Amino acid sequence: MLAERLNHLFANMHPPGAPYTNAFVAEEISGGAEEYGGVKVTEQYLSMLRNGRRTNPSPELLRALAKFFAVPVGYLLGDLSQPQAARVEEEVRFLAAMRDQRVRAIALRSVGLPPEVQDSLTTIISQFRQQMNLPADPPEQGGERRGE
């Protein structure tokens, strides 16, 4: 569903700090005529898309939103296969996790280590997660939606 995919992007694809608001995204897209193909969108229309009251935006708007959030337009259209959509969502979760300075530091410190050492680190992290009664994989990163 388009609303779910949009909300997922709003909640996860933003710089450190707070998620984008509908007003900010509308202003960026509407103000970036060349970059976003001259598409105009309002804060209210984005809100209606995100809450499911509008479900059929123009292809031009979908292209602009996909470009803004740096995802394939097929993700917003629902045209990707399940494995392709899952890969996009995994990349979004990865980027959201990398906003955490501690997570980023751990990831960067593992760069250049041999694969077997990286595998050992993964095992150690999994053991810590189990000891702390956390799920084997971290939950999908989410956040409060703002600007609706």
Side-chain angles (χ1 to χ4, degrees), residues 110-123:
S110 71
V111 172
L113 294 174
E116 59 274 6
V117 173
Q118 291 176 348
D119 290 343
S120 294
L121 290 172
T122 300
T123 300

Side-chain angles (χ1 to χ4, degrees), residues 79-91:
D79 286 347
L80 299 182
S81 68
Q82 182 55 41
Q84 290 170 322
R87 192 184 66 201
V88 170
E89 290 174 356
E90 182 179 329
E91 289 172 6

Side-chain angles (χ1 to χ4, degrees), residues 5 8-9 13 62-76 80 88-89 91-92 95:
R5 291 186 293 273
H8 180 74
L9 294 174
M13 293 296 285
L62 289 176
R63 279 194 290 277
L65 286 166
K67 182 169 187 152
F68 180 86
F69 287 111
V71 296
V73 71
Y75 175 72
L76 291 176
L80 299 182
V88 170
E89 290 174 356
E91 289 172 6
V92 167
L95 291 172

Side-chain angles (χ1 to χ4, degrees), residues 35-107:
E35 185 176 1
Y36 296 105
V39 171
K40 302 290 183 197
V41 64
T42 66
E43 168 185 0
Q44 294 78 15
Y45 189 70
L46 283 178
S47 179
M48 288 188 282
L49 288 173
R50 292 182 65 193
N51 66 29
R53 288 196 323 223
R54 294 286 187 267
T55 58
N56 195 20
S58 71
E60 294 80 17
L61 176 57
L62 289 176
R63 279 194 290 277
L65 286 166
K67 182 169 187 152
F68 180 86
F69 287 111
V71 296
V73 71
Y75 175 72
L76 291 176
L77 290 169
D79 286 347
L80 299 182
S81 68
Q82 182 55 41
Q84 290 170 322
R87 192 184 66 201
V88 170
E89 290 174 356
E90 182 179 329
E91 289 172 6
V92 167
R93 282 191 298 277
F94 170 77
L95 291 172
M98 292 307 286
R99 282 195 306 267
D100 183 319
Q101 187 175 359
R102 289 183 191 119
V103 171
R104 193 170 51 248
I106 291 168

